[in-house]
Amino acid sequence: MYTRCPSCRAEISFEPPADAASLPDGYKHRIKCPSCGVTIGVKLPNRTATGQPVIAAEKNSAPYSSGEPIYGPNAYAPAGAVASGESTFANTPVAKKSGRSRNVTVFIFSLLFLACAVIGYLLYSGTISVDILGGLTFFDGITVLQNASSIPVGEDAMLTLSYVLPAVFFLFTLVVAVVAIIGFIVKKYSRLLNVLFALIMLALTACIVVFNPASYIISAAGGNIADYFMSLLEQGFYFIFVPVGLAFINFICSLIFLKSMKKKIA
């Protein structure tokens, strides 16, 4: 027997059911179009008919149109999807973004943090002299690494930590930059890992501002945190707060980037 698909207009050849003679008049036989996959219902000819008649398919081929369930790949698809022959195993096709733009953002912040450390090094070594940037010397981890042997060890653990923090900041910034480059190359972005990195960076910069050799010395002399910050302002070390601000913005971006990278395909 033959019929024509109402969706793609392809001619379909099919065999009637084996018990066609015992089926009631008006019985709708369900077949699937081999071209577009649409399930259609066709009425079998009168039992007295002979030959291979061409049978007209039902115009409305959506599931449940006749009140009968249709079991098959299109059984649970919307009527529009079945009529157009679209795949019905997924609700809406999705694709995942590469994550490269997010890795670029992370890498840019890493470069800014590295710039703070390098400028602090150049200021401390006397290579450049810009008074307003003096606060960045607190983030000079390069000098700390160069003079690692002169770090006071064993005398006071807290004093040792105050000296080491800038070096940790510098090395950790390098690690984040390398991870961002690798993520860019492999087109992957780890959302939770980068939130953790951003949180650690924020904690490091805040600790360097509040806890460093200068603040330790002032507190040891009987001063308090207010005296320490007043001394920073009196010396014009305003840029000591710049890395903290950058770290805070970086952390906010990492929270925004927690949003899924999956996007719908129209």
Side-chain angles (χ1 to χ4, degrees):
M1 294 184 177
Y2 299 90
T3 187
R4 188 174 295 278
C5 176
S7 176
C8 66
R9 308 306 299 170
E11 189 176 82
I12 306 171
S13 173
F14 68 96
E15 292 294 332
D19 57 347
S22 62
L23 296 174
D25 290 338
Y27 172 80
K28 293 180 181 179
H29 182 51
R30 303 296 176 182
I31 62 175
K32 183 178 179 181
C33 176
S35 298
C36 64
V38 173
T39 301
I40 61 178
V42 295
K43 289 183 179 180
L44 296 178
N46 190 286
R47 292 194 295 272
T48 60
T50 60
Q52 297 289 331
V54 176
I55 304 171
E58 289 287 323
K59 275 293 184 183
N60 184 3
S61 57
Y64 309 107
S65 60
S66 63
E68 304 170 5
I70 302 172
Y71 299 100
N74 293 320
Y76 303 100
V82 174
S84 62
E86 295 177 2
S87 172
T88 57
F89 286 104
N91 293 330
T92 303
V94 294
K96 194 173 183 180
K97 300 177 184 177
S98 67
R100 280 188 161 181
S101 59
R102 299 185 180 188
N103 284 305
V104 168
T105 302
V106 175
F107 183 68
I108 289 174
F109 274 106
S110 300
L111 290 181
L112 292 174
F113 291 129
L114 285 174
C116 291
V118 171
I119 293 173
Y121 169 73
L122 295 176
L123 289 167
Y124 187 83
S125 63
T127 305
I128 61 175
S129 179
V130 182
D131 293 339
I132 196 173
L133 299 178
L136 296 180
T137 56
F138 288 84
F139 296 86
D140 174 20
I142 301 175
T143 300
V144 175
L145 292 173
Q146 288 179 338
N147 303 319
S149 59
S150 63
I151 296 176
V153 179
E155 301 176 7
D156 189 321
M158 297 303 291
L159 179 61
T160 301
L161 181 61
S162 70
Y163 274 96
V164 169
L165 279 176
V168 176
F169 165 78
F170 177 71
L171 294 175
F172 185 72
T173 301
L174 290 176
V175 170
V176 175
V178 171
V179 171
I181 293 174
I182 295 174
F184 180 84
I185 294 173
V186 301
K187 300 181 181 180
K188 299 291 183 181
Y189 178 84
S190 176
R191 293 177 288 173
L192 293 179
L193 181 62
N194 281 281
V195 168
L196 179 62
F197 281 174
L199 185 59
I200 293 175
M201 186 63 73
L202 180 59
L204 276 174
T205 54
C207 286
I208 291 174
V209 170
V210 177
F211 184 66
N212 53 64
S215 65
Y216 184 86
I217 292 171
I218 290 176
S219 63
N224 52 38
I225 191 69
D227 295 332
Y228 163 64
F229 280 113
M230 284 300 297
S231 68
L232 290 179
L233 297 177
E234 289 173 358
Q235 297 176 72
F237 289 161
Y238 308 112
F239 267 67
I240 191 175
F241 303 105
V242 170
V244 182
L246 289 174
F248 180 74
I249 297 173
N250 182 37
F251 179 65
I252 295 299
C253 289
S254 69
L255 294 179
I256 295 174
F257 290 163
L258 281 174
K259 181 180 178 183
S260 175
M261 292 189 292
K262 292 183 178 180
K263 61 179 180 178
K264 293 182 179 181
I265 300 176

